[in-house]
Amino acid sequence: MARCPARDHTPHLTAQKRKRENRVTTELPLQAVLFDMDGTLVDTEGLWWEAVERVAGRPLTEADRPDVLGRPVEHTAAWLASAHTGGGPDATGGPSADGLAAALHREFADRVRAGVVPRPGALALLAALARDGVPTALVTASPRAVADTVLRALEALGAPEFAVAVTADDTVRTKPEPEPYLAACRTLGVDPARCVAVEDTPTGVASAEAAGCAVLAVPSVVPIGAAPGRTVLDGLTGVTPERLRALAGRRLTVMSWNLWLGGTMVDDHRAKQLAAIRASGADVVGLQETGGAAAGELAAALGWHHHRAGENLGLLSRHPVVARLGDPDVGFYGAAGVRLLVDGEREVDVWTAHLHPTPYGPYGAAFDGLSADGLVAHEGARLAGMREALRRIAEAAGGERPVVLVGDFNAPSHLDRSDAVWPVTRAAEEAGLRDSYREAHPDPVRDPGHTWSPVHPVHPEEGGRRGCPEPQDRIDYVLHNGRGLRVLASRTLVTGTPAAWPDVAANAWPSDHAAVVTTFAF
């Protein structure tokens, strides 16, 4: 059962969490285990199925599963309302979606109060984690009232207290969005990349993986396939803290972010930048348009290491910087890098690049009707910039070291568009760099991954193009060379709902680009 909330609350902190606040450190390979509730810890999927059958007034079938299991209650209620009214969005005469949602909540809560049954192995695993001092969180798409009922039943059966409980009432967006898991990690003070999420549905798995967690999937009804960073088991019986530690392994989460003139277009921009970086779960952030001072000021506030290059580029890292790479006086456009020592054991080179924005290819395609050859001809300066960056990267890495290149390339990807060759990203690919976002999301139609622009739905400049729909495109990247790096998850990130230009001063998101956040197994 799930519920899509309309308000934003603070996740629930228990006494256990407060006692352990100072015990979580970045040195622990497994910082927390995050559990889904329905179908994972307790066998409530059957109770929810019964509740929907009662409200629907008929037995459910296999064909009904996509609209019943792992979906917000509002979705299921709207689906039932549509079935009653013939399916039209404006149809009338049947029960309302709001009324059906209330009935679903009531029927399910009655069944939960009548008693829940823990899934085999769940109580033993919770007890073992408590003995080992590993914090646990409950992350559920059910409402607070239902979660509290289930928690009381589990405690009566001897389950230890959860450190944190995040329910549908605590986040604006619920599963499959990453927000619930990110909220739990933020409240615990842990890195999502060093946590294991235990889930039973594809919807929950998608939420945890988008947040950057390793996942143990224990399917209850719907099959779940294996994938990088995901382990699939029949159940929790025999699962130990040691096995979960092995699943967590080493993670490196890298973020690429254009700060938009240092963030100065938005009020209180530095605090908003810090909030976004903390919410991302990033270990390393490659910055563009820093306005000179951003890298140093953000690193000081985070307690991280940093490198500033030229007037525009910067890198932040929670891991120590053991070498600075490239030209520190690179200027406004170009690339710069650092060598990081991750967990005191492995070195990785991370570079940030910003390529020249004009002439901008998507404008040539959308506004000027240029041919494929004409579009490619306009990529000359960016292609030269990319080739110079690739030369420096190869020279520094020496052929064997893991490399990540992030940046605002101001160029679309040849993996996304077929109207031209788009040579900038092709050059990176030919040099052995892989596009992490497209590895995680191979279909550009289903997952376009647009990063330009969350605040420009129409063209912002003066002239004949002003007011025309702004081409939305993916021009920000996290690339890697695959040497010891494996993509677990990649997503674009925008916090809040930014107002459009020019009314941007109050935006929670202090940039005109979306960020890209990729978690690697390392």
Side-chain angles (χ1 to χ4, degrees), residues 14 41 73 97 123 140 205 228 245 249 254 271 332 352 395 402 464-465 507:
T14 65
L41 288 175
V73 68
L123 294 180
T140 177
V205 167
R245 288 189 183 94
V254 182
F332 197 87
T352 182
E395 186 178 79
R465 299 172 177 174
N507 282 350

Side-chain angles (χ1 to χ4, degrees), residues 8-294:
D8 188 11
H9 289 168
T10 301
H12 180 61
L13 279 72
T14 65
Q16 181 198 48
K17 155 64 168 100
R18 288 188 288 272
K19 291 176 183 177
R20 287 177 170 162
E21 278 181 328
N22 296 323
R23 294 175 58 185
V24 177
T25 69
T26 57
E27 284 73 28
L28 293 174
L30 176 63
Q31 292 185 345
V33 180
L34 317 173
F35 288 92
D36 172 56
M37 183 178 75
D38 303 319
T40 301
L41 288 175
V42 292
D43 187 10
T44 54
E45 297 289 359
L47 301 181
W48 173 239
W49 189 264
E50 292 174 6
V52 177
E53 283 189 324
R54 177 64 179 267
V55 174
R58 65 170 178 84
L60 299 177
T61 69
E62 285 293 322
D64 299 319
R65 288 191 185 278
D67 291 298
V68 174
L69 295 181
R71 302 303 297 244
V73 68
E74 287 80 4
H75 174 93
T76 302
W79 167 72
L80 290 174
S82 178
H84 277 290
T85 59
D90 299 318
T92 58
S96 70
D98 288 344
L100 288 166
L104 289 168
H105 280 302
R106 185 172 57 252
E107 290 290 337
F108 183 71
D110 287 346
R111 286 163 172 77
V112 169
R113 280 191 288 270
V116 296
V117 178
R119 290 199 71 184
L123 294 180
L125 177 56
L126 289 172
L129 290 168
R131 285 194 300 271
D132 282 10
V134 179
T136 56
L138 188 75
V139 183
T140 177
S142 292
R144 171 68 60 189
V146 172
D148 286 347
T149 300
V150 172
L151 287 171
R152 284 192 293 269
L154 286 172
E155 289 170 9
L157 294 170
E161 188 180 20
F162 287 91
V164 171
V166 178
T167 74
D169 297 331
D170 301 321
T171 59
V172 174
R173 291 179 293 272
T174 189
K175 304 174 185 180
E177 298 298 322
E179 194 168 334
Y181 278 100
L182 292 174
C185 291
R186 189 164 54 248
T187 306
L188 280 171
V190 298
D191 179 357
R194 296 186 179 182
C195 298
V196 174
V198 186
E199 276 282 357
D200 74 306
T201 67
T203 302
V205 167
S207 174
E209 289 181 343
C213 302
V215 170
L216 171 60
V218 285
S220 59
V221 179
V222 180
I224 299 172
R230 181 194 310 165
T231 299
V232 182
L233 298 177
D234 291 336
L236 295 176
T237 301
V239 175
T240 63
E242 290 72 24
R243 183 158 193 178
L244 295 180
R245 288 189 183 94
L247 297 183
R250 183 187 288 112
R251 301 285 191 272
L252 185 71
T253 299
V254 182
M255 177 178 181
S256 181
W257 197 13
N258 182 309
L259 294 184
W260 193 16
L261 302 176
T264 55
M265 307 303 291
V266 174
D267 295 339
D268 199 19
H269 58 277
R270 200 66 86 222
K272 293 173 180 177
Q273 290 166 347
L274 287 167
I277 291 170
R278 289 179 174 126
S280 74
D283 302 298
V284 187
V285 185
L287 301 172
Q288 309 89 43
E289 291 196 32
T290 62

